[in-house]
Amino acid sequence: MNAADDDAITPEEPPTTKEGWRRFVDYQPEPPAALSAEQLLALTRSQRAVHDEARREYHAELPLVNTPTIRQMLSTGRLLVQLNRRQVSARRGLILSGASGTGKTTALTQLGRTHERAVRRRHPDSRHRLPVAYVTVPPAATAKMLAVEFARFYGLEFSARANMPDIVNAVCATAANTGIELVLVDEIHNLNLATRAGAEVSDQLKYFAERLPATFVYAGIDVEAEGLFAGVRGRQIAGRFTLIASAPFAYGATEQRTAWRSLIATLEAMLRLHHHTPGTLVGLDEYLYRRTSGMIGSLSQLIRGAAILAVEDGSEQITRDLLDLVPVDFAAEKATRTSPPRPRTRRSAETAAASA
């Protein structure tokens, strides 16, 4: 096993554990070497198989694209960390809210990854420092379930009969002793303030925020509509947290289409296909928008899937026919079926007449 394999993210160690989180922060996929036609011909059958498998794995997890949401998360999150550094209480937080498939978890974890790498650069000799914690809110969560999620991140084990104060105190002591600065809480939409359990979970989060010298950042699906800001607790959250909306890319105005094409061009530049013509996918920008409804998750799935198929079938290029073979999520497919046809422009009509 090589060093890259040692750093790979494994299902046994998700980023909701300190070991998995460290692997996530350390992991940096390297693109396979771009081989010339002569170099490809010189490969043996087994060498070509290894080369193709490396490219399939690379395309399965294309490197991160720096979207506007991620840029806003990084700038706002890092500013709040600075503002909260000397605060004893009433620290300010951040909430990322939007539809599924708009890159919320990616933006949340990239904020944590960027911050932890910055801390490591400032403290290169502090190997036991854990400046970031990442947890998810379980479905139908209770306050104790949330506390156990925090404990699991730090590798703290308790019996089923352990009481809440013991769990919370152990978590807070461990987090403080390892230099916590940023707490990321994903799937916050699983918290329902209209229920007693949800209210208790909210209170538990607030208690953690008061005990820990850290900035709290939440992410969830349409949290405004889910009642996170309702009632007394909700008003308190609204008064302390900045809200960032994670939305699909738009395609109406010229600048919006330019941004969409730029995103496609960035993804296309990352491809490692031997016969793909640069600019092909950018030329399919309208088709790609209709297939994905501007959802970056759907676009990523579509392009990554087509790239893998292009390696497997030997075509080594992505075409519209190949893209048609790649399934996307139901929400994107439904939007494609229900969206009205785009009005025909004068230019397209003249082009069609000229080709007739």
Side-chain angles (χ1 to χ4, degrees):
M1 182 177 290
N2 57 35
D5 293 330
D6 289 338
D7 291 337
I9 301 170
T10 63
E12 293 78 16
E13 290 183 348
T16 49
T17 66
K18 66 180 188 299
E19 295 82 7
W21 177 257
R22 277 175 168 159
R23 283 181 177 268
F24 169 75
V25 173
D26 293 336
Y27 186 56
Q28 187 67 45
E30 292 293 332
L35 303 181
S36 66
E38 293 77 12
Q39 289 173 318
L40 284 172
L41 288 174
L43 295 178
T44 65
R45 180 176 296 180
S46 61
Q47 288 172 333
R48 180 58 188 259
V50 170
H51 175 65
D52 289 349
E53 178 61 21
R55 289 188 299 135
R56 281 194 292 268
E57 291 185 358
Y58 167 76
H59 287 131
E61 51 173 359
L62 280 180
L64 174 73
V65 176
N66 198 10
T67 65
T69 298
I70 290 177
R71 290 194 294 270
Q72 188 177 6
M73 278 288 286
L74 292 181
S75 61
T76 306
R78 294 170 73 179
L79 175 60
L80 287 175
V81 170
Q82 291 286 333
L83 292 173
N84 288 333
R85 191 156 284 162
R86 300 299 180 185
Q87 290 292 110
V88 176
S89 62
R91 299 178 186 89
R92 301 294 168 171
L94 180 61
I95 297 176
L96 180 61
S97 172
S100 177
T102 54
K104 296 182 301 301
T105 294
T106 299
L108 182 70
T109 54
Q110 285 306 313
L111 169 61
R113 187 174 189 263
T114 301
H115 181 71
E116 179 146 338
R117 287 188 164 215
V119 172
R120 290 181 184 182
R121 288 192 296 270
R122 294 199 307 269
H123 305 279
D125 298 325
S126 184
R127 299 180 59 185
H128 300 292
R129 186 179 292 267
L130 284 170
V132 180
Y134 174 65
V135 300
T136 60
V137 178
T142 64
K144 186 172 183 178
M145 289 168 64
L146 180 69
V148 168
E149 288 296 313
F150 275 86
R152 182 178 293 115
F153 178 86
Y154 288 106
L156 304 174
E157 297 183 358
F158 297 90
S159 68
R161 292 180 294 179
N163 59 49
M164 274 284 290
D166 288 343
I167 298 174
V168 171
N169 288 335
V171 167
C172 291
T174 303
N177 290 335
T178 52
I180 189 67
E181 294 184 13
L182 185 63
V183 176
L184 309 177
V185 183
D186 209 349
E187 308 291 334
I188 197 68
H189 53 266
N190 286 332
L191 190 161
N192 184 355
L193 293 184
T195 67
R196 178 178 177 181
E200 290 175 350
V201 172
S202 177
D203 290 342
Q204 186 60 61
L205 278 173
K206 182 177 179 295
Y207 185 68
F208 274 131
E210 294 293 340
R211 291 273 310 263
L212 299 177
T215 299
F216 277 64
V217 182
Y218 303 157
I221 298 174
D222 298 331
V223 298
E224 312 96 306
E226 294 299 319
L228 188 65
F229 300 131
V232 175
R233 292 179 176 86
R235 287 195 296 272
Q236 189 172 47
I237 293 172
R240 291 189 180 182
F241 282 78
T242 298
L243 180 69
I244 292 179
S246 178
F249 277 74
Y251 196 76
T254 300
E255 60 271 17
Q256 293 170 339
R257 293 193 292 274
T258 299
W260 177 248
R261 294 187 189 108
S262 177
L263 173 64
I264 296 170
T266 301
L267 288 168
E268 188 170 26
M270 297 177 183
L271 297 176
R272 290 297 182 267
L273 299 173
H274 299 306
H275 303 311
H276 184 79
T277 303
T280 300
L281 295 183
V282 177
L284 294 171
D285 62 304
E286 184 178 343
Y287 163 82
L288 292 171
Y289 190 83
R290 286 192 291 105
R291 285 291 309 276
T292 65
S293 298
M295 300 286 191
I296 188 172
S298 303
L299 178 68
S300 174
Q301 178 181 340
L302 193 56
I303 293 178
R304 290 184 295 116
I308 292 172
L309 292 180
V311 174
E312 290 182 343
D313 67 14
S315 64
E316 295 290 342
Q317 60 182 325
I318 297 179
T319 63
R320 177 164 175 167
D321 289 341
L322 195 61
L323 288 164
D324 283 338
L325 299 177
V326 181
V328 292
D329 54 275
F330 175 72
E333 291 284 11
K334 182 180 179 182
T336 300
R337 292 195 299 267
T338 58
S339 59
R342 186 179 180 184
R344 204 176 194 190
T345 63
R346 179 179 177 183
R347 181 180 177 183
S348 63
E350 292 173 348
T351 303
S355 62

